[in-house]
Amino acid sequence: MVKLRAYLDSSGKLDSNYLTLAAVAGNDDMWNEFEMEWDKILASHTPKAAYVHMRELAFQVEGFDKNVGWNDNNAFGLSNKCLMHMSYQDKKRFRIFYCAVDLQAWRKLKAETYQIPEPVELCNTYCSETVIGWYLHHYPDIINPHADSVRYFFDRNEYFYQPFFDKWTEKKNIAEKTRAWTPWQTIEEVVPAEMKMTPGIQAADIIAWAVNRENTVQKGKTASYMAHIIRTVIPSLFVVWDEAKMRQQFKPLIYKPW
């Protein structure tokens, strides 16, 4: 049986201008090697790092304090090494996912009575749940659809964890009562994890931060190019909910077709 692990982290706040949820997913048997190599990258870098967290890295604070030698060059040099490591993974076994929401546009359209899901629901639907769809599509002849074989790890205190956990629980309970199979039954567990101890969540943090950076700063600014490079070198599935896409996908409560 092919088992899958997915790690998720976000960038941005609900009261900010942009919000991105990212996931990295891969076969269970690749993660031990991935994590060992990740730790080697951190330990061999100058200065050494205990973990990667893009907010700290970008501003050289906390674990990446300027007083211990961190600067833009070696900080982003570390994140680039981590991205290269992700790009070396087997393209059949490793995939990134993300969903980004322009919160300014979302608020504008909500004020115009557009019937749009909440940002957390949008991101869980088009990122977290997309992992299951990719898994079932990619391994239709290998997986046992009635076995628990997918594990989700969210960074602690994420907006997205509890709603996703609750939906998973609800879907499983309905399936057990009706005896009608659902892809949600392939999920073995949905748990929070400590970012500083979990390379997979650190990888998702890099993706989420890069996408948010791409959508919130002018081109040419430091690291504004990272998301483009990520999409170029790592297989990815994603959606960006900007104003045009939300107007196309959703309709206002008071709708005139002419």
Side-chain angles (χ1 to χ4, degrees), residues 109-110 112-117 244-257:
L109 296 190
K110 287 293 283 187
E112 296 177 11
T113 74
Y114 271 74
Q115 303 301 287
I116 311 173
K245 186 169 183 63
M246 285 187 276
R247 286 191 184 277
Q248 180 183 37
Q249 183 73 21
F250 305 106
K251 300 300 179 186
L253 186 62
I254 305 170
Y255 175 60
K256 296 181 180 180

CSV table of all heavy atoms in Angstrom, one decimal, residues 109-110 112-117 244-257:
chain,number,residue,atom,x,y,z
A,109,LEU,N,-15.8,42.1,-2.7
A,109,LEU,CA,-16.9,41.4,-3.3
A,109,LEU,C,-18.0,40.9,-2.3
A,109,LEU,O,-19.2,40.9,-2.6
A,109,LEU,CB,-16.4,40.1,-4.1
A,109,LEU,CG,-15.5,40.5,-5.2
A,109,LEU,CD1,-15.2,39.2,-6.0
A,109,LEU,CD2,-16.1,41.5,-6.1
A,110,LYS,N,-17.5,40.6,-1.1
A,110,LYS,CA,-18.5,40.3,0.0
A,110,LYS,C,-19.4,41.5,0.3
A,110,LYS,O,-20.6,41.3,0.5
A,110,LYS,CB,-17.8,39.9,1.3
A,110,LYS,CG,-17.1,38.5,1.2
A,110,LYS,CD,-18.2,37.4,1.1
A,110,LYS,CE,-18.8,37.1,2.5
A,110,LYS,NZ,-19.7,35.9,2.4
A,112,GLU,N,-20.3,43.5,-1.9
A,112,GLU,CA,-21.2,43.6,-3.0
A,112,GLU,C,-22.2,42.4,-3.0
A,112,GLU,O,-22.8,42.2,-4.1
A,112,GLU,CB,-20.4,43.6,-4.3
A,112,GLU,CG,-19.5,44.9,-4.5
A,112,GLU,CD,-18.6,44.8,-5.7
A,112,GLU,OE1,-18.9,44.0,-6.6
A,112,GLU,OE2,-17.7,45.7,-5.8
A,113,THR,N,-22.3,41.7,-2.0
A,113,THR,CA,-23.2,40.6,-1.7
A,113,THR,C,-22.8,39.3,-2.5
A,113,THR,O,-23.6,38.4,-2.6
A,113,THR,CB,-24.6,40.9,-2.0
A,113,THR,OG1,-24.9,40.9,-3.4
A,113,THR,CG2,-25.1,42.2,-1.4
A,114,TYR,N,-21.5,39.2,-3.0
A,114,TYR,CA,-21.1,38.0,-3.6
A,114,TYR,C,-21.1,36.8,-2.6
A,114,TYR,O,-20.6,37.0,-1.5
A,114,TYR,CB,-19.7,38.2,-4.2
A,114,TYR,CG,-19.7,38.7,-5.6
A,114,TYR,CD1,-20.0,40.0,-5.9
A,114,TYR,CD2,-19.4,37.8,-6.7
A,114,TYR,CE1,-20.0,40.5,-7.2
A,114,TYR,CE2,-19.4,38.3,-8.0
A,114,TYR,CZ,-19.7,39.7,-8.2
A,114,TYR,OH,-19.7,40.1,-9.5
A,115,GLN,N,-21.6,35.7,-3.0
A,115,GLN,CA,-21.7,34.5,-2.2
A,115,GLN,C,-20.4,33.7,-2.3
A,115,GLN,O,-20.3,32.8,-3.1
A,115,GLN,CB,-22.9,33.7,-2.6
A,115,GLN,CG,-24.2,34.5,-2.5
A,115,GLN,CD,-24.4,35.1,-1.1
A,115,GLN,OE1,-24.8,34.3,-0.2
A,115,GLN,NE2,-24.3,36.4,-0.9
A,116,ILE,N,-19.4,34.1,-1.5
A,116,ILE,CA,-18.1,33.5,-1.6
A,116,ILE,C,-17.8,32.8,-0.3
A,116,ILE,O,-18.1,33.3,0.8
A,116,ILE,CB,-17.0,34.5,-1.8
A,116,ILE,CG1,-17.4,35.5,-3.0
A,116,ILE,CG2,-15.6,33.9,-2.1
A,116,ILE,CD1,-16.4,36.6,-3.2
A,117,PRO,N,-17.2,31.6,-0.3
A,117,PRO,CA,-16.9,30.9,1.0
A,117,PRO,C,-15.9,31.8,1.7
A,117,PRO,O,-15.2,32.6,1.2
A,117,PRO,CB,-16.3,29.6,0.5
A,117,PRO,CG,-16.8,29.4,-0.9
A,117,PRO,CD,-17.0,30.7,-1.5
A,244,ALA,N,-10.7,38.9,-10.3
A,244,ALA,CA,-11.3,38.5,-11.6
A,244,ALA,C,-11.8,37.0,-11.4
A,244,ALA,O,-12.9,36.7,-11.9
A,244,ALA,CB,-10.2,38.6,-12.7
A,245,LYS,N,-11.0,36.2,-10.8
A,245,LYS,CA,-11.4,34.8,-10.7
A,245,LYS,C,-12.6,34.6,-9.7
A,245,LYS,O,-13.5,33.8,-10.0
A,245,LYS,CB,-10.2,33.9,-10.1
A,245,LYS,CG,-10.5,32.4,-10.1
A,245,LYS,CD,-9.3,31.6,-9.8
A,245,LYS,CE,-9.6,30.1,-9.9
A,245,LYS,NZ,-10.1,29.7,-11.2
A,246,MET,N,-12.6,35.4,-8.7
A,246,MET,CA,-13.8,35.3,-7.8
A,246,MET,C,-15.1,35.8,-8.5
A,246,MET,O,-16.1,35.3,-8.3
A,246,MET,CB,-13.5,36.1,-6.5
A,246,MET,CG,-12.6,35.4,-5.5
A,246,MET,SD,-12.4,36.2,-3.9
A,246,MET,CE,-11.1,37.4,-4.3
A,247,ARG,N,-14.9,36.9,-9.2
A,247,ARG,CA,-16.1,37.4,-10.0
A,247,ARG,C,-16.6,36.4,-11.0
A,247,ARG,O,-17.8,36.2,-11.3
A,247,ARG,CB,-15.8,38.7,-10.7
A,247,ARG,CG,-15.7,39.9,-9.8
A,247,ARG,CD,-15.6,41.2,-10.5
A,247,ARG,NE,-15.4,42.4,-9.6
A,247,ARG,CZ,-16.4,43.0,-9.0
A,247,ARG,NH1,-17.7,42.5,-9.1
A,247,ARG,NH2,-16.2,44.0,-8.2
A,248,GLN,N,-15.7,35.6,-11.6
A,248,GLN,CA,-16.0,34.6,-12.6
A,248,GLN,C,-16.7,33.4,-11.9
A,248,GLN,O,-17.6,32.8,-12.5
A,248,GLN,CB,-14.8,34.2,-13.3
A,248,GLN,CG,-15.0,33.1,-14.4
A,248,GLN,CD,-13.7,32.7,-15.1
A,248,GLN,OE1,-12.7,32.6,-14.4
A,248,GLN,NE2,-13.8,32.5,-16.3
A,249,GLN,N,-16.2,33.0,-10.8
A,249,GLN,CA,-16.6,31.8,-10.1
A,249,GLN,C,-17.9,31.9,-9.3
A,249,GLN,O,-18.7,31.0,-9.2
A,249,GLN,CB,-15.5,31.2,-9.3
A,249,GLN,CG,-15.8,29.9,-8.6
A,249,GLN,CD,-15.7,28.8,-9.6
A,249,GLN,OE1,-15.1,28.9,-10.6
A,249,GLN,NE2,-16.4,27.7,-9.2
A,250,PHE,N,-18.0,33.1,-8.7
A,250,PHE,CA,-19.1,33.3,-7.8
A,250,PHE,C,-20.1,34.4,-8.2
A,250,PHE,O,-19.7,35.2,-9.1
A,250,PHE,CB,-18.6,33.6,-6.4
A,250,PHE,CG,-17.6,32.6,-5.8
A,250,PHE,CD1,-16.3,32.8,-5.8
A,250,PHE,CD2,-18.1,31.3,-5.4
A,250,PHE,CE1,-15.4,31.9,-5.3
A,250,PHE,CE2,-17.2,30.4,-5.0
A,250,PHE,CZ,-15.8,30.6,-4.9
A,251,LYS,N,-21.3,34.5,-7.7
A,251,LYS,CA,-22.3,35.5,-8.1
A,251,LYS,C,-22.8,36.2,-6.9
A,251,LYS,O,-22.8,35.7,-5.7
A,251,LYS,CB,-23.5,34.8,-8.8
A,251,LYS,CG,-23.1,34.0,-10.0
A,251,LYS,CD,-22.4,34.9,-11.1
A,251,LYS,CE,-22.1,34.1,-12.3
A,251,LYS,NZ,-21.3,35.0,-13.3
A,252,PRO,N,-23.2,37.5,-7.1
A,252,PRO,CA,-23.8,38.2,-5.9
A,252,PRO,C,-25.1,37.7,-5.6
A,252,PRO,O,-25.8,37.1,-6.4
A,252,PRO,CB,-23.8,39.7,-6.5
A,252,PRO,CG,-23.9,39.5,-7.9
A,252,PRO,CD,-23.1,38.3,-8.3
A,253,LEU,N,-25.6,38.0,-4.4
A,253,LEU,CA,-26.9,37.6,-4.0
A,253,LEU,C,-28.0,38.4,-4.8
A,253,LEU,O,-29.0,37.8,-5.2
A,253,LEU,CB,-27.1,38.0,-2.5
A,253,LEU,CG,-28.4,37.5,-1.8
A,253,LEU,CD1,-28.5,36.0,-1.9
A,253,LEU,CD2,-28.5,38.0,-0.4
A,254,ILE,N,-27.7,39.6,-5.1
A,254,ILE,CA,-28.6,40.4,-5.9
A,254,ILE,C,-27.9,40.4,-7.3
A,254,ILE,O,-27.0,41.2,-7.6
A,254,ILE,CB,-28.7,41.9,-5.4
A,254,ILE,CG1,-29.2,41.8,-4.0
A,254,ILE,CG2,-29.7,42.7,-6.3
A,254,ILE,CD1,-29.2,43.2,-3.3
A,255,TYR,N,-28.4,39.5,-8.2
A,255,TYR,CA,-27.7,39.3,-9.5
A,255,TYR,C,-28.6,39.6,-10.6
A,255,TYR,O,-29.7,39.2,-10.7
A,255,TYR,CB,-27.3,37.8,-9.6
A,255,TYR,CG,-26.7,37.5,-10.9
A,255,TYR,CD1,-25.5,38.1,-11.3
A,255,TYR,CD2,-27.2,36.5,-11.7
A,255,TYR,CE1,-24.9,37.7,-12.5
A,255,TYR,CE2,-26.7,36.1,-12.9
A,255,TYR,CZ,-25.5,36.8,-13.3
A,255,TYR,OH,-24.9,36.4,-14.5
A,256,LYS,N,-28.1,40.5,-11.5
A,256,LYS,CA,-28.7,40.8,-12.8
A,256,LYS,C,-27.9,40.3,-13.9
A,256,LYS,O,-26.8,40.8,-14.1
A,256,LYS,CB,-29.0,42.3,-12.9
A,256,LYS,CG,-29.9,42.9,-11.8
A,256,LYS,CD,-30.1,44.4,-12.0
A,256,LYS,CE,-31.0,44.9,-10.9
A,256,LYS,NZ,-31.2,46.4,-11.0
A,257,PRO,N,-28.4,39.3,-14.7
A,257,PRO,CA,-27.6,38.7,-15.7
A,257,PRO,C,-27.3,39.7,-16.9
A,257,PRO,O,-26.6,39.3,-17.8
A,257,PRO,CB,-28.4,37.5,-16.1
A,257,PRO,CG,-29.8,37.9,-15.8
A,257,PRO,CD,-29.7,38.7,-14.6
